[in-house]
Amino acid sequence: MGESTSPFCNLGILDTLTGDSIQEIIESYSNFCANTESLLNGDFSVDSEFACNVHGLCKYGLNSLVRDQFLGSLEETFERNCVSKFWQYFDAYSNVAILNTNEPPVYEDCLQQVLCKALEEISLEKQYQEKCLLVLVHALSDEEHHSNAEKAYLFSKYQLMVSSVLMARLPRHFPEILHWYFKGRLEELSTNVDGEFNYENESQDKDDMDIDERSKVPCRTGKMDIDECGLGKFSENNALVKNIGKVVLNLRSLGFTSMADDAYASAIFLLLKAKVHDLAGDDFRNSVLQSIKDWIEVVPLQFLHALLAYIGESVSYDSPSSVPKSPLASVAPSFYPGSNAPSEGLVRWRLRLEYFAYETLQDLRIGKLFEIIVDYPESSPAIEDLKQCLEYTGQHSKLVESFISALKYRLLTAGASTNDILHQYVSTIKALRTIDPAGVFLEAVGEPIRDYLKGRKDTIKCIVTMLTDGTGGNPNASGNSGDSLLEELNRDEENLENTGTDDDFNIDDKQAWINAMRWEPDPVEADPLKGSRNRRKVDILGMIVGIIGSKDQLVNEYRVMLAEKLLNKSDYDIDSEIRTLELLKIHFGESSMQRCEIMLNDLIDSKRANTNIKMNRSQTPHTGSEAGDTAVSLDNLDATIISSNFWPPIQDESLNVPQPVDKLLSDYAQRFHEIKTPRKLIWKKNLGTVKLELQFEDRAMQFTVAPIHAAIIMKFQDQPSWTSKDLAAATGVPVDILNRRTNFWISKGILLESPGQDLNDHVFTLLEIVDSDESIGNGRNEELLVGDEEGERSVDSVEDQIRKEMTVYEKFIMGMLTNFGSMALDRIHNTLKMFCVADPPYDKSLQQLQSFLSGLVSEEKLELRDGIYRNKYPCWVTSSKLKHLCVFRTVHVLELPLPSNLTHDQLADVLLPVGSTSCLSLIPSSTEAATAPSPLFGEFAEPGITHSPQDILASSSQFHAPMDN
Amino acid sequence: MGFQTEWHAVASWTWDAQDETCGICRMAFDGCCPDCKLPGDDCPLMWGACNHAFHLHCILKWVNSQTSQAHCPMCRREWQFKE
Ligand SMILES: [Zn+2]
Ligand SMILES: [Zn+2]
Ligand SMILES: [Zn+2]
């Protein structure tokens, strides 16, 4: 390196140079170079000679040559002695770190040591070079008096050189190594502190200590004086923090400031995230927010405080003054003398960490919101946490989106029963109104549920049941089972009245919500259902009625259900119905409930009339003389007398009740007429309930049944055996209904069914004596067998209705299976959904379909194997079935499995209803396929080739012509 | 086989008038007049000598509204309550 390298070489100066001076410069320069060499190799004895040579050069204005030459030597030495050596330490980790980003390197302890050692070594070297640099600074500043400026300039140059030389050869995996290092250290620290933290919590985990606890934690971190935190307590951690601090310092001094900061920051966030997951988990029944906040104070903030104190956070790191102080000196909290106020950096950190914690917990809870709501109200602590998180982060829309998609995926599926959906809806409202008292986004969340429920047929019925029936509801719906929802809402309302008004709070909350969602609030309608004490409050009942559309529909449905209930009573006990009616009146208005009120009043009047009629009899014993047993029997007749104009249409089916009962009924009606002249009674003989005791030779059995059941069984007093036709005639009931009702007695083992002469005529025989082992059980104990009231009623049960409704689809299903061979449950379900869109649209749940199909299986119409349904028998395609096949409008190509011995007329029967636009391919039915197929199939059963029905028929007529004749 | 039964039957009541509705208020006889809430005993029917029936409350109102002798709103004959 010669003079020419000096950028400040100035020609004017060159002219003034004499030969001597040139000689002097050359000498000084070569000595300076030699001295520099010696200095950098550790020989400080050349100190003064070095200074002389520097002066010698500076005399000629060669200061910049001196600086550049010296820095160049430093760079060369640094690069040679340190850089490769430093990076070589980490070569061993290159694979581990890259391959395993989630798992810490196996030799973590080793990594920690290597990192410390490497940093220590290179820092020592650097420190030494800086010492050399100081020598130069002194030498230069003896000459001029800009020592500080000179020093700053040189040191910044040097720092830049160090960083760039190191950076130039930075291995890719180094940031990861740093990450693992900090992660490992922090986990260690966390484990240590956790032990103390938990111990502390345990020692004062009584509720009344909570306030102390909370006020204590920030206070402690406020001071954050490591010394003050106790000698024993943090001394161990102290060393750990110092260790980490040293690494950070060393990294910073090498110019890896942001890399180091990123590494420990990401380690802290990772640790915090793990902690939040650990504390929160799937436990929804405890609030975790406070524990998380406490932990933030105790672990990461303590650490950061110590670390920032140690490395001197407010100092500019590139300036030479930051470079090594005595570690001990910086540990002393000299940065906040006499003040407990945490540094600005720490305050920022706390905000960052809390925000991160809130967001993490919020995301965790939002992800599990569906489960949380299922668990409501037990899960209300989790809801409360979520509320606080959302208030902090303002990310309410995240909740809305995520929850709606969870609803669609988990709840709004064919498999879920309407009841389940409704109960989840109510739980959702209850749970979310905590978070969203104004109900602004409940609107958004509720919408898909409402839309879905609107498409279900049994929605209104389920809603009314849920509202009014405390016994039939979903057991996991709410804490108080046995309470109707209406009862519960009413109680809530009363509680609210009692606790007084928090209107301000509500309005604030509402405002916060509106701001958060930046949504326009719905126009505030005058809510017909409630005295609007609060301007806008989540109104559960209103939201439920909203599904139905109008309260009239709801009231109407209730009226029908009430009628059903009242008509099936065997007593006049209507206390719970009266209570429900009162509640309904409060919410829906008295006039809406007028008809229901009249119905209940009928029951009250009936009870009174019933008593009067019987009293009348005892006062006028002359009727008793007519027939002794009839008079006695009147005790066994009660009646419900309805004002039919105010009841829903009553099913009036014919029924011949047993003659003695009929006599009783007319006596009863006669007495009613006497008392209430000119009013008369019209019996609805098919309605009501009969408590029946059957007395056999060896046993007595009790049932509560519909009149039709009683009428049927009592016929067997006259004769022990009936054909179904005769029995139908005797009881005045259509045969198909009679057969269905008789099944009840067959299932109880009282009647026996056997085939009659005619295929459609069965014979029912009374079983006077049952098998001996059964008779012991039944007879002796005179077991009370209450007939299954749910299944057999004079009025159709919901299950009956669904079965009836499903029958429409039986033909579709059979046709489908004919066409496709075999199908799984969900495919049948989906196909029905796809094709049966009108008249009547298919709206059944998967479960309903399944139970219907299992009925078809038990009727041996279908076969179920490995979850696949198929026709039990090779299908004999009837024209009616084919007609239904054609309803599948998109199916143009039909494959018809046919038996080969089809006559032309039968084939015409099958094919004529098929539209001429359809294309057919005939295939032999499965049994035919094995044997010799009919020639018919040879022509028309080539796979993939289809024909119009007319073609097939024309061909068939030729084929069949000789055979038919 | 022997039986014991407790029969809880269902019936509807009717005034058994010739017409379905009251000629004055046009409401069903088996319902009640516009002033009443409960049918039956609370809102009885009344027959005139001409055999036309009305809600008691309706015909009383009618009779009281007439300045002179009231006539049956249906047949215009002089109104007499049936004995
Ligand atoms: Zn009237
Ligand atoms: Zn009246
Ligand atoms: Zn008249």
Side-chain angles (χ1 to χ4, degrees):
Chain A
M1 214 172 279
E3 292 113 306
S4 58
T5 53
S6 166
F8 298 109
C9 201
N10 149 346
L11 293 174
I13 292 179
L14 277 179
D15 287 342
T16 64
L17 288 179
T18 63
D20 284 351
S21 42
I22 289 172
Q23 192 55 44
E24 192 186 340
I25 288 170
I26 290 172
E27 217 166 277
S28 298
Y29 180 71
S30 73
N31 285 340
F32 165 75
C33 289
N35 289 340
T36 304
E37 190 87 354
S38 308
L39 258 180
L40 293 184
N41 285 327
D43 182 6
F44 267 81
S45 60
V46 295
D47 191 359
S48 52
E49 192 190 336
F50 175 78
C52 283
N53 287 319
V54 170
H55 295 164
L57 289 167
C58 290
K59 204 160 63 186
Y60 293 101
L62 294 172
N63 305 36
S64 55
L65 173 69
V66 168
R67 287 192 203 99
D68 291 345
Q69 173 62 26
F70 195 80
L71 283 171
S73 302
L74 279 177
E75 177 172 347
E76 200 185 319
T77 316
F78 188 76
E79 195 161 11
R80 188 180 58 233
N81 292 351
C82 309
V83 177
S84 2
K85 206 168 137 206
F86 179 72
W87 290 131
Q88 265 165 18
Y89 277 109
F90 307 104
D91 282 352
Y93 299 94
S94 59
N95 290 330
V96 187
I98 288 163
L99 289 177
N100 251 333
T101 42
N102 289 321
E103 303 266 321
V106 195
Y107 7 67
E108 199 190 325
D109 284 349
C110 183
L111 169 86
Q112 176 203 341
Q113 282 162 15
V114 166
L115 181 67
C116 290
K117 190 172 165 216
L119 283 170
E120 200 103 328
E121 217 175 87
I122 197 166
S123 298
L124 272 175
E125 191 65 33
K126 188 174 167 245
Q127 276 170 40
Y128 178 76
Q129 290 202 343
E130 280 163 343
K131 230 160 116 190
C132 298
L133 199 57
L134 269 179
V135 172
L136 177 69
V137 170
H138 286 308
L140 286 169
S141 55
D142 278 357
E143 200 57 23
E144 298 156 41
H145 295 284
H146 308 114
S147 115
N148 277 339
E150 185 71 55
K151 185 179 168 190
Y153 171 75
L154 281 174
F155 269 86
S156 83
K157 272 269 197 190
Y158 176 69
Q159 192 67 37
L160 199 66
M161 179 278 284
V162 165
S163 322
S164 53
V165 166
L166 273 173
M167 227 38 119
R169 296 175 59 185
L170 176 84
R172 259 209 223 142
H173 64 280
F174 189 62
E176 269 167 62
I177 287 174
L178 291 184
H179 174 80
W180 290 122
Y181 167 77
F182 285 114
K183 187 165 174 281
R185 302 296 80 203
L186 271 165
E187 272 163 7
E188 194 179 319
L189 184 76
S190 162
T191 318
N192 294 346
V193 178
D194 266 1
E196 292 156 16
F197 183 52
N198 290 337
Y199 171 75
E200 205 173 289
N201 279 352
E202 275 161 32
S203 68
Q204 44 170 298
D205 62 353
K206 297 279 157 269
D207 283 352
D208 52 345
M209 299 295 278
D210 262 12
I211 298 160
D212 283 351
E213 169 80 10
R214 269 169 216 176
S215 60
K216 190 183 163 198
V217 173
C219 152
R220 185 172 58 204
T221 44
K223 288 177 195 159
M224 199 75 83
D225 187 328
I226 290 173
D227 291 334
E228 199 175 295
C229 282
L231 287 166
K233 206 170 172 183
F234 283 109
S235 61
E236 197 183 320
N237 300 335
N238 221 346
L240 192 57
V241 174
K242 257 186 230 169
N243 189 318
I244 303 169
K246 209 163 170 188
V247 169
V248 175
L249 268 186
N250 283 337
L251 283 168
R252 287 183 166 192
S253 95
L254 294 175
F256 293 134
T257 307
S258 63
M259 202 185 294
D261 289 355
D262 286 353
Y264 73 75
S266 80
I268 286 173
F269 284 118
L270 213 68
L271 191 66
L272 176 56
K273 188 172 183 178
K275 192 69 196 175
V276 170
H277 282 250
D278 184 38
L279 281 171
D282 282 344
D283 171 20
F284 309 136
R285 304 191 175 193
N286 291 298
S287 171
V288 292
L289 203 50
Q290 192 55 46
S291 331
I292 292 172
K293 278 152 93 177
D294 290 350
W295 185 84
I296 290 178
E297 297 294 339
V298 174
V299 181
L301 282 176
Q302 294 257 35
F303 164 75
L304 283 164
H305 181 256
L307 182 73
L308 296 181
Y310 180 80
I311 61 183
E313 61 163 355
S314 59
V315 184
S316 151
Y317 301 106
D318 287 339
S319 84
S321 65
S322 77
V323 203
K325 298 164 180 272
S326 150
L328 283 171
S330 55
V331 169
S334 51
F335 288 93
Y336 327 107
S339 128
N340 283 339
S343 73
E344 194 191 325
L346 208 57
V347 169
R348 264 202 311 273
W349 261 107
R350 176 179 288 125
L351 290 175
R352 276 175 75 186
L353 288 173
E354 283 185 351
Y355 187 90
F356 183 80
Y358 279 120
E359 199 179 28
T360 306
L361 182 63
Q362 161 211 297
D363 289 352
L364 197 65
R365 291 310 190 210
I366 284 178
K368 293 278 181 183
L369 190 56
F370 191 88
E371 284 87 348
I372 292 175
I373 284 175
V374 168
D375 201 23
Y376 192 83
E378 276 76 15
S379 61
S380 36
I383 293 282
E384 195 54 45
D385 278 356
L386 180 55
K387 175 190 178 170
Q388 286 192 37
C389 291
L390 286 170
E391 276 165 8
Y392 203 88
T393 63
Q395 296 175 344
H396 303 91
S397 56
K398 228 185 200 176
L399 183 150
V400 175
E401 280 163 32
S402 154
F403 189 59
I404 285 179
S405 81
L407 280 176
K408 285 183 176 160
Y409 183 68
R410 307 272 307 268
L411 184 65
L412 305 179
T413 62
S417 78
T418 305
N419 251 327
D420 289 345
I421 298 174
L422 272 172
H423 280 101
Q424 180 77 350
Y425 181 55
V426 172
S427 293
T428 303
I429 301 173
K430 285 183 194 163
L432 295 190
R433 71 181 161 173
T434 317
I435 298 176
D436 171 24
V440 176
F441 90 92
L442 252 178
E443 204 61 34
V445 169
E447 195 182 307
I449 307 184
R450 285 193 298 272
D451 286 352
Y452 188 83
L453 283 173
K454 275 175 191 164
R456 287 217 176 180
K457 220 172 193 172
D458 55 343
T459 297
I460 299 183
K461 204 162 200 126
C462 290
I463 287 175
V464 174
T465 307
M466 184 171 69
L467 280 174
T468 58
D469 190 353
T471 55
N474 192 332
N476 57 14
S478 73
N480 296 14
S481 60
D483 253 8
S484 67
L485 180 59
L486 215 51
E487 194 85 51
E488 188 190 320
L489 294 178
N490 198 60
R491 201 178 42 237
D492 287 356
E493 194 131 304
E494 275 166 9
N495 291 344
L496 244 153
E497 304 282 344
N498 294 341
T499 49
T501 56
D502 282 342
D503 272 354
D504 288 348
F505 173 79
N506 280 337
I507 290 163
D508 280 357
D509 256 13
K510 182 193 171 188
Q511 201 52 49
W513 261 96
I514 291 166
N515 293 344
M517 303 299 294
R518 266 179 275 128
W519 278 355
E520 287 297 310
D522 295 336
V524 182
E525 296 167 87
D527 192 338
L529 302 177
K530 271 192 179 177
S532 52
R533 193 172 48 76
N534 290 332
R535 247 163 287 180
R536 189 190 166 100
K537 198 177 66 179
V538 173
D539 167 22
I540 297 185
L541 191 60
M543 294 192 77
I544 292 167
V545 175
I547 301 172
I548 301 180
S550 81
K551 67 169 182 174
D552 288 350
Q553 252 175 304
L554 188 146
V555 169
N556 210 37
E557 184 68 32
Y558 176 69
R559 199 163 65 93
V560 171
M561 286 171 65
L562 179 65
E564 176 126 11
K565 227 188 233 175
L566 295 180
L567 291 181
N568 282 296
K569 276 191 187 295
S570 51
D571 54 26
Y572 302 98
D573 177 15
I574 51 168
D575 289 352
S576 77
E577 283 80 7
I578 289 175
R579 170 75 185 149
T580 303
L581 183 67
E582 289 308 314
L583 291 174
L584 285 167
K585 280 206 257 179
I586 294 172
H587 291 287
F588 298 110
E590 214 157 305
S591 63
S592 301
M593 305 312 298
Q594 179 65 28
R595 286 162 157 253
C596 292
E597 183 143 35
I598 291 172
M599 286 158 64
L600 289 183
N601 204 59
D602 280 349
L603 267 276
I604 295 165
D605 282 352
S606 298
K607 186 181 182 181
R608 204 180 297 135
N610 194 56
T611 313
N612 286 341
I613 284 166
K614 292 182 177 181
M615 269 164 55
N616 186 25
R617 173 188 57 94
S618 49
Q619 282 163 2
T620 55
H622 64 92
T623 44
S625 58
E626 285 176 37
D629 50 321
T630 308
V632 175
S633 298
L634 200 51
D635 280 335
N636 298 332
L637 175 64
D638 294 320
T640 296
I641 301 159
I642 64 172
S643 309
S644 58
N645 271 34
F646 300 89
W647 287 62
I650 301 287
Q651 283 188 14
D652 219 350
E653 288 162 10
S654 64
L655 176 68
N656 301 335
V657 296
Q659 211 280 320
V661 177
D662 210 40
K663 175 78 176 69
L664 273 182
L665 292 178
S666 51
D667 284 355
Y668 193 102
Q670 178 58 35
R671 280 173 187 149
F672 177 87
H673 185 62
E674 284 164 16
I675 295 170
K676 301 274 188 182
T677 313
R679 288 161 73 186
K680 282 185 177 168
L681 284 191
I682 302 164
W683 290 106
K684 316 271 183 196
K685 290 179 185 172
N686 60 316
L687 301 182
T689 53
V690 181
K691 281 186 187 160
L692 196 61
E693 189 179 278
L694 306 185
Q695 293 147 344
F696 296 97
E697 285 173 23
D698 56 342
R699 69 209 147 118
M701 296 171 93
Q702 290 180 318
F703 301 96
T704 301
V705 294
I708 187 170
H709 293 124
I712 290 169
I713 199 66
M714 285 168 87
K715 279 289 162 201
F716 287 83
Q717 255 182 329
D718 308 343
Q719 58 186 73
S721 184
W722 289 82
T723 68
S724 46
K725 275 180 183 164
D726 290 348
L727 191 55
T731 50
V733 170
V735 179
D736 56 331
I737 294 179
L738 178 101
N739 283 334
R740 192 145 54 87
R741 297 304 190 175
T742 310
N743 276 336
F744 172 77
W745 296 117
I746 295 168
S747 73
K748 297 291 174 200
I750 303 217
L751 293 182
L752 184 72
E753 184 182 18
S754 47
Q757 290 169 327
D758 187 344
L759 241 163
N760 295 320
D761 206 9
H762 310 268
V763 174
F764 302 113
T765 314
L766 182 70
L767 291 169
E768 272 287 356
I769 299 169
V770 286
D771 291 348
S772 55
D773 26 327
E774 272 183 59
S775 70
I776 295 164
N778 287 336
R780 290 287 166 84
N781 301 336
E782 206 176 283
E783 203 175 323
L784 180 96
L785 284 180
V786 178
D788 56 343
E789 287 182 78
E790 299 303 323
E792 293 288 332
R793 286 228 165 138
S794 49
V795 183
D796 277 347
S797 71
V798 180
E799 287 78 13
D800 277 346
Q801 269 174 20
I802 288 169
R803 205 177 310 125
K804 253 189 209 166
E805 289 165 6
M806 285 297 295
T807 323
V808 178
Y809 306 110
E810 180 181 334
K811 288 160 183 164
F812 291 87
I813 295 165
M814 303 296 287
M816 221 162 24
L817 289 171
T818 303
N819 211 26
F820 297 114
S822 60
M823 293 169 91
L825 178 66
D826 53 349
R827 189 156 163 234
I828 298 177
H829 182 70
N830 290 334
T831 312
L832 285 171
K833 265 202 304 205
M834 209 182 305
F835 292 118
C836 300
V837 288
D839 205 34
Y842 176 76
D843 57 357
K844 299 294 176 283
S845 73
L846 205 62
Q847 281 164 338
Q848 288 170 337
L849 176 67
Q850 191 172 27
S851 78
F852 177 71
L853 289 180
S854 64
L856 292 182
V857 170
S858 68
E859 288 171 40
E860 301 218 308
K861 288 179 178 165
L862 296 184
E863 186 176 53
L864 173 65
R865 224 186 298 141
D866 303 329
I868 305 288
Y869 293 89
R870 50 173 66 84
N871 286 332
K872 175 86 176 178
Y873 298 110
C875 187
W876 159 240
V877 183
T878 65
S879 54
S880 67
K881 269 177 189 157
L882 201 59
K883 226 178 272 170
H884 284 288
L885 274 178
C886 296
V887 177
F888 293 87
R889 283 177 285 271
T890 57
V891 181
H892 293 303
V893 179
L894 298 173
E895 286 183 339
L896 294 183
L898 298 174
S900 57
N901 56 352
L902 220 55
T903 65
H904 174 69
D905 287 346
Q906 283 172 323
L907 193 61
D909 225 26
V910 172
L911 292 180
L912 283 179
V914 182
S916 56
T917 55
S918 295
C919 300
L920 293 168
S921 152
L922 301 184
I923 57 168
S925 66
S926 53
T927 49
E928 301 288 336
T931 60
S934 152
L936 180 65
F937 295 117
E939 201 172 330
F940 293 104
E942 279 170 61
I945 299 180
T946 55
H947 311 269
S948 76
Q950 284 73 19
D951 287 350
I952 298 174
L953 273 180
S955 164
S956 163
S957 70
Q958 295 166 11
F959 178 74
H960 279 289
M963 285 167 76
D964 284 346
N965 299 336
Chain B
M1 182 179 64
F3 283 101
Q4 246 188 326
T5 59
E6 278 176 47
W7 208 283
H8 191 107
V10 174
S12 66
W13 59 262
T14 173
W15 284 108
D16 203 25
Q18 279 91 350
D19 288 325
E20 292 274 296
T21 53
C22 165
I24 298 173
C25 70
R26 302 284 165 199
M27 304 296 268
F29 280 136
D30 292 342
C32 50
C33 80
D35 296 333
C36 284
K37 289 208 161 156
L38 298 175
D41 292 337
D42 289 354
C43 187
L45 294 204
M46 190 50 68
W47 275 262
C50 59
N51 247 350
H52 283 120
F54 303 96
H55 289 121
L56 170 69
H57 302 132
C58 293
I59 192 67
L60 283 181
K61 242 199 231 169
W62 169 260
V63 169
N64 291 338
S65 70
Q66 306 293 301
T67 43
S68 55
Q69 171 63 47
H71 296 268
C72 170
M74 303 301 285
C75 63
R76 294 279 147 203
R77 267 187 259 171
E78 205 165 273
W79 178 262
Q80 296 276 315
F81 286 100
K82 193 176 186 179
E83 289 303 311

